[in-house]
Amino acid sequence: MNLATFLSINAPAAAAASEALAKLTRRSASVKLLNAKLLSSMGDHPPFDREEIVSGVYLPITGGLPGAALLCFQEEKVSPLIEMLRKTKVENPSRLTELEESALKELGNIICGNYVTALSNALRVRILPGVPHFTRAMFGSMLEEVVARLPPDARGAVLVDVEIDLPSEAMLGYLLLCFEPERLIDV
Amino acid sequence: MSEVFATADAREVLTAVGVGSCLIIALYDPRLRIGALAHAVLPVRNGAAGGGKHDTRYIDEAIDEMLEQLAALGSRGGLEAKIVGGANMFPGLKEDIGSENISRARRKLNATGIPIVGESVGGAIGRSVEFSLNTGSVTVKIKF
């Protein structure tokens, strides 16, 4: 994997994601995509402890470079994020409503979708993000399911820091991307 | 993930942390107080097996590997099984890998004559597991 390629798409992907988020929330919004670390596997140097409860949005990636994207946020940061997206208070953060989950899925769509589009443009390969799926669980357990759905030889992963400006603070999330290595070499 | 570990040391506690759709299989020989733990990812291998070696990512082959390792430690049968995991972490997805893992393990264990004496499976929850070789007990931690 070429790290420079991933670093170069952070800015255009973040700009497009910020614009889409501003449209959704009808206020100025800022999404920053920072750094890009290459991991030898998706479970290598994870951003969270395997037992830590996190909220995650998973999107399968299809097309010329099949793989997976997993966007994760720390549990305690999710309520302010949903409140920014929906402009209504989250009553029970450990039992989100369908609409609250849907808001996070839409955020996953925006961030992962724009990242994959920027990657697609940079590599000149057609890559398509799939339908987003939400879960709130131990980080390790959601990572397992994503890895199980990848081809056996899909080992390398890219970890991107995601920073979203909320009214009171900036919140940090993580975007994990994994692709079939043989296809990546072909690219 | 994809690992099998067997031991005859009754002081050992085998663990698996943050288990989702994967299946943890604990086999215990209460007579000898020896056991093995597998952390299998998928139900069955698609395509031919390569090189005669078990690929412990798959349920069937992980169980075969456990039986071989336990036999090498002196077990001659009388094993009991406990299974944990097999969750469906993203319930909207069509393919339920967790359920397939559970079914495969039940079939394979039944075919090998090993009774399942305890289980904590399914749902959309993560689990952590501790398997005590001293008592054969399996402790499951669930966080909401």
Side-chain angles (χ1 to χ4, degrees):
Chain A
M1 286 190 198
N2 186 349
L3 186 60
T5 304
F6 288 98
L7 285 167
S8 73
I9 62 171
N10 277 352
S18 298
E19 198 181 323
L21 190 59
K23 269 188 195 161
L24 180 74
T25 58
R26 293 181 188 155
R27 59 180 283 273
S28 70
S30 166
V31 176
K32 290 178 191 144
L33 297 172
L34 310 163
N35 310 316
K37 279 179 231 159
L38 294 182
L39 311 178
S40 58
S41 75
M42 268 186 107
D44 186 25
H45 303 295
F48 303 103
D49 181 86
R50 280 185 68 89
E51 274 193 347
E52 185 173 349
I53 296 285
V54 299
S55 289
V57 180
Y58 159 67
L59 290 92
I61 297 171
T62 56
L65 191 56
L70 180 66
L71 179 68
C72 292
F73 294 104
Q74 250 181 332
E75 175 66 0
E76 61 267 28
K77 301 281 186 182
V78 166
S79 290
L81 185 59
I82 295 171
E83 285 162 8
M84 185 266 285
L85 293 167
R86 298 197 64 238
K87 300 180 186 70
T88 56
K89 191 162 173 50
V90 174
E91 296 297 334
N92 186 352
S94 61
R95 196 174 283 271
L96 298 177
T97 65
E98 207 170 306
L99 288 172
E100 288 162 350
E101 287 187 5
S102 180
L104 289 175
K105 284 196 267 190
E106 187 50 36
L107 182 70
N109 229 351
I110 287 171
I111 293 174
C112 300
N114 281 293
Y115 193 92
V116 168
T117 301
L119 187 62
S120 180
N121 292 338
L123 299 176
R124 294 188 186 140
V125 174
R126 193 162 175 263
I127 316 170
L128 302 167
V131 177
H133 299 274
F134 173 82
T135 200
R136 177 190 167 277
M138 287 180 190
F139 175 67
S141 66
M142 69 176 74
L143 195 61
E144 266 194 0
E145 174 112 22
V146 173
V147 170
R149 289 173 186 280
L150 290 168
D153 61 345
R155 298 206 185 279
V158 180
L159 178 67
V160 179
D161 297 341
V162 180
E163 195 179 292
I164 301 172
D165 273 345
L166 298 176
S168 57
E169 59 180 327
M171 77 162 289
L172 196 62
Y174 298 93
L175 176 61
L176 264 162
L177 295 130
C178 194
F179 299 103
E180 288 182 37
E182 280 179 16
R183 301 288 186 96
L184 206 57
I185 290 164
D186 290 346
V187 169
Chain B
M1 284 168 72
S2 311
E3 289 162 343
V4 165
F5 187 79
T7 179
D9 185 347
R11 293 166 303 177
E12 288 254 28
V13 176
L14 306 180
T15 61
V17 178
V19 179
S21 60
C22 291
L23 198 72
I24 301 298
I25 305 150
L27 294 185
Y28 189 62
D29 184 329
R31 191 177 57 86
L32 298 178
R33 289 203 300 166
I34 64 174
L37 195 78
H39 189 160
V41 182
L42 293 165
V44 69
R45 190 199 305 236
N46 288 323
K53 204 177 167 197
H54 298 132
D55 187 339
T56 52
R57 191 170 30 205
Y58 302 104
I59 301 278
D60 280 25
E61 294 179 59
I63 292 172
D64 287 336
E65 178 67 27
M66 293 167 92
L67 293 174
E68 282 183 19
Q69 289 192 21
L70 287 170
L73 291 174
S75 180
R76 297 291 173 263
L79 292 167
E80 295 174 344
K82 289 174 184 168
I83 56 173
V84 180
N88 181 9
M89 300 311 299
F90 299 97
L93 288 165
K94 275 185 194 164
E95 192 188 12
D96 184 351
I97 294 172
S99 287
E100 289 174 29
N101 282 339
I102 297 164
S103 302
R104 194 76 198 182
R106 283 183 177 145
R107 252 182 294 163
K108 175 74 177 177
L109 290 166
N110 187 45
T112 47
I114 300 171
I116 297 174
V117 296
E119 62 178 40
S120 169
V121 293
I125 48 173
R127 296 170 168 93
S128 289
V129 181
E130 283 186 5
F131 175 27
S132 163
L133 270 295
N134 186 32
T135 60
S137 69
V138 172
T139 307
V140 181
K141 183 159 93 177
I142 294 171
K143 276 169 90 176
F144 292 101

